[in-house]
Amino acid sequence: MIKNIIFKKIKFTNFNQKKFNKIINKKGNFVFPAAPALVEIEKSKYYYKSLQEADFVFFDSGLFVIMLKIFRNISVNKFSGFKFLNLFFLYLKKNNKKKILSIDPNKIISIENKKYFEKKGITKFYSYIAPIYKSKKITDKKLLKLVNKVRPNFIIINIGGTKQEILAHYMKQNLKSKQTILCTGAALSFLTGIQAPINKFYDKIYLGWFVRIIYNPKIFLKRYLYALGFVPIFFKNKIIIE
């Protein structure tokens, strides 16, 4: 089985869920770039670097997976942030003493996330409402101070794509100790019900994007049309198989 794919000097891990228990306790940044975010690898040097220096980059983008299969005859496993979190909560069921820090975009989502973790039996739960990061070069000393104080086992970043990876990279470079940082974006909101009602079936057949468009076309139709900008990026760059 193909282990890794190198694309624009970014190492994508061809991950099988059977290996989940082998990596979940590893320190580092876990990122799940969707197609709209991948367009930014040629537009934002900070985002590009955050993917290059992440410890695990998974194939969240169904568009990328399909294009690899059709145009390069390369088969890899689509592994979304949504799928990862489902496995993560099964893990927490047996490890409910772990400390979790959730980084959320607003108070409403923060409250719902806390309720969800409490429902799952997680008592050592901390939350941080992120400010609106206006600059592409993200810094947040207040967050660093909180992480160094709490020392969580897992940090889950639930803010938008591209910004969450840059924030994770900033933390990796500036925290006193290495952390496990999960950049799963909106995936937790699918589970809590705040965002589109995506389930395992839609995720499995690569239609999560379509459900999001139906749920909120004003926002997501434009976003996924923008994602088509990844197509020329795909064709003009080489694929290295490991």
Side-chain angles (χ1 to χ4, degrees):
M1 186 181 82
I2 294 170
K3 185 177 179 181
N4 300 303
I5 294 290
I6 310 297
F7 178 75
K8 278 188 69 67
K9 298 182 180 180
I10 301 169
K11 181 183 287 188
F12 288 80
T13 299
N14 185 25
F15 187 71
N16 186 311
Q17 68 179 60
K18 293 179 181 178
K19 298 178 181 179
F20 181 84
N21 290 328
K22 292 183 179 180
I23 71 160
I24 189 57
N25 287 309
K26 291 187 177 182
K27 303 294 184 180
N29 291 3
F30 292 55
V31 301
F32 302 81
L38 285 174
V39 177
E40 298 299 314
I41 59 179
E42 291 196 338
K43 297 182 178 183
S44 169
K45 64 180 181 180
Y46 300 110
Y47 178 64
Y48 181 44
K49 188 174 183 180
S50 74
L51 295 190
Q52 283 186 304
E53 298 187 6
D55 298 274
F56 295 95
V57 184
F58 298 101
F59 287 102
D60 182 274
S61 170
L63 177 62
F64 192 16
V65 172
I66 290 170
M67 291 185 73
L68 282 170
K69 179 63 177 177
I70 294 175
F71 298 108
R72 303 292 174 86
N73 195 29
I74 297 172
S75 296
V76 294
N77 298 314
K78 182 180 182 300
F79 200 81
S80 66
F82 175 79
K83 188 172 185 178
F84 185 92
L85 283 188
N86 276 283
L87 294 171
F88 181 61
F89 280 108
L90 289 176
Y91 165 84
L92 289 181
K93 190 174 182 179
K94 298 178 180 179
N95 299 272
N96 60 6
K97 301 300 182 183
K98 299 289 186 181
K99 290 183 182 179
I100 308 293
L101 173 62
S102 178
I103 301 175
D104 305 315
N106 58 58
K107 189 173 181 179
I108 294 173
I109 290 178
S110 182
I111 290 171
E112 291 302 315
N113 288 347
K114 183 178 181 180
K115 288 179 182 178
Y116 191 82
F117 273 92
E118 288 177 347
K119 184 180 177 181
K120 294 295 182 179
I122 306 301
T123 57
K124 296 180 180 180
F125 180 83
Y126 306 83
S127 61
Y128 177 78
I129 298 175
I132 297 174
Y133 299 114
K134 295 181 179 180
S135 171
K136 290 186 177 180
K137 185 180 180 181
I138 292 174
T139 61
D140 193 334
K141 292 183 179 180
K142 184 179 178 181
L143 175 59
L144 294 181
K145 186 176 179 180
L146 176 63
V147 174
N148 288 326
K149 179 182 178 181
V150 173
R151 299 180 66 184
N153 298 103
F154 299 100
I155 299 170
I156 303 179
I157 305 182
N158 306 303
I159 65 176
T162 69
K163 287 187 177 181
Q164 60 178 326
E165 293 89 352
I166 297 172
L167 177 61
H169 184 260
Y170 165 75
M171 287 194 285
K172 182 178 180 179
Q173 298 297 313
N174 292 280
L175 287 169
K176 291 180 180 179
S177 59
K178 196 171 184 181
Q179 300 290 322
T180 303
I181 305 174
L182 312 178
C183 297
T184 49
L188 184 54
S189 288
F190 299 151
L191 296 174
T192 63
I194 289 180
Q195 278 220 25
I198 292 175
N199 56 34
K200 292 180 182 179
F201 174 74
Y202 292 122
D203 185 60
K204 184 177 181 180
I205 62 172
Y206 298 15
L207 284 180
W209 62 273
F210 182 71
V211 176
R212 298 185 85 182
I213 290 175
I214 296 299
Y215 183 77
N216 194 334
K218 187 176 181 180
I219 292 177
F220 293 108
L221 179 58
K222 183 179 179 180
R223 182 176 299 181
Y224 286 106
L225 286 174
Y226 178 76
L228 295 176
F230 177 68
V231 174
I233 296 174
F234 175 87
F235 282 113
K236 71 181 182 181
N237 286 282
K238 294 180 179 180
I239 303 290
I240 299 173
I241 300 173
E242 288 189 343

